[in-house]
Amino acid sequence: MKLSKENISQIDNALFKKFGVFYYDVRLEIVDHLASELEQMEGDFEEISPVFLNNKSDFIKETNLQLNNAGSRWSKIVLFKNIFSIKYLLTFIVVVFFSYNLISLKGKEWFLEYFDFMPIILPAPISIFLLYEIFSSKRKSYILPFAGITNTILMTYLFIFIHIIRKADVFYFVGIFSFFMTLALAYYYMYFFSVRQHFKENNLLKL
């Protein structure tokens, strides 16, 4: 049986509407597998596909869960691997140096007035972009956990650590501020380079 683009689209729609496979990258993996099996069969697509998909129900659910877990696991690995990387440490040192010297020149009150919200403001564009992808038809399985974990860490700055640095000595203040500022800067790199590169080059089932 030779499948047309329309047939592939029908399988994709069935996975989304009937089986609840919401993530685009996961559907691509499952569609590819199902299409390969269907092409080995004889008969009419319209007659065979409903029965075939029902028979594959357990496989679809199991693979969907497996790929979702793999995407979630990888997003966490990317985040924490980058936080403990040499690049992150070097960026952290640069931010510490910049912050400490700026405070020495302008004073802590001036620095807080103009910079204390920067770890929240700086990643706002990428957060908006990720929010769009989460609700788009082509949302991917690693987007939600990656955005969720990173933004949760950044939110702890807004609700907890910003109040600490406003009262802390400069030594502690600079260290805390610089960590979150570095994370805000690294957010862009981690998404556009690390995450995208991994899912471009690797099959989730191999994780």
Side-chain angles (χ1 to χ4, degrees):
M1 182 192 306
K2 182 66 175 178
L3 300 184
S4 65
K5 290 184 178 180
E6 183 180 349
N7 297 149
I8 298 296
S9 179
Q10 286 179 272
I11 298 172
D12 183 70
N13 288 333
L15 291 177
F16 181 79
K17 295 177 180 179
K18 184 175 180 179
F19 296 97
V21 184
F22 296 112
Y23 294 117
Y24 180 69
D25 57 323
V26 173
R27 291 204 308 275
L28 285 179
E29 291 281 348
I30 298 176
V31 166
D32 182 65
H33 182 89
L34 296 178
S36 296
E37 284 197 33
L38 275 169
E39 287 184 334
Q40 304 302 315
M41 303 172 68
E42 298 291 337
D44 180 68
F45 174 82
E46 299 297 338
E47 293 180 0
I48 293 176
S49 61
V51 177
F52 173 77
L53 290 175
N54 283 333
N55 291 338
K56 287 291 182 178
S57 177
D58 290 340
F59 165 80
I60 292 170
K61 292 176 182 177
E62 182 180 342
T63 306
N64 184 34
L65 179 61
Q66 181 183 355
L67 293 175
N68 284 336
N69 289 339
S72 177
R73 184 170 65 252
W74 178 251
S75 66
K76 294 173 184 176
I77 291 172
V78 167
L79 176 61
F80 291 105
K81 184 178 179 180
N82 276 277
I83 286 178
F84 293 103
S85 69
I86 297 297
K87 289 181 180 178
Y88 193 96
L89 177 61
L90 292 175
T91 306
F92 173 77
I93 292 171
V94 171
V95 175
V96 167
F97 179 80
F98 173 83
S99 301
Y100 184 81
N101 281 277
L102 199 56
I103 292 168
S104 298
L105 289 172
K106 298 290 188 176
K108 180 181 176 181
E109 295 303 321
W110 180 91
F111 187 90
L112 287 174
E113 182 179 354
Y114 291 101
F115 286 90
D116 64 347
F117 275 99
M118 283 302 293
I120 301 299
I121 296 173
L122 187 64
I126 185 66
S127 295
I128 293 171
F129 173 76
L130 288 173
L131 186 65
Y132 164 76
E133 285 212 343
I134 288 170
F135 291 101
S136 73
S137 60
K138 293 189 176 183
R139 56 189 175 275
K140 300 173 182 65
S141 60
Y142 58 89
I143 293 295
L144 185 59
F146 176 80
I149 296 168
T150 309
N151 282 295
T152 297
I153 295 174
L154 289 170
M155 284 298 104
T156 63
Y157 174 80
L158 178 62
F159 292 106
I160 300 174
F161 290 100
I162 196 171
H163 304 290
I164 295 175
I165 67 173
R166 287 172 177 173
K167 299 177 182 178
D169 294 334
V170 172
F171 177 80
Y172 298 105
F173 153 65
V174 171
I176 295 172
F177 172 84
S178 297
F179 170 81
F180 286 99
M181 191 64 179
T182 305
L183 179 60
L185 292 168
Y187 199 175
Y188 290 87
Y189 170 79
M190 287 187 287
Y191 179 75
F192 286 110
F193 291 93
S194 299
V195 176
R196 282 191 178 277
Q197 189 66 21
H198 172 81
F199 280 89
K200 180 180 179 181
E201 297 179 353
N202 297 277
N203 187 314
L204 285 175
L205 285 172
K206 296 178 182 178
L207 290 177

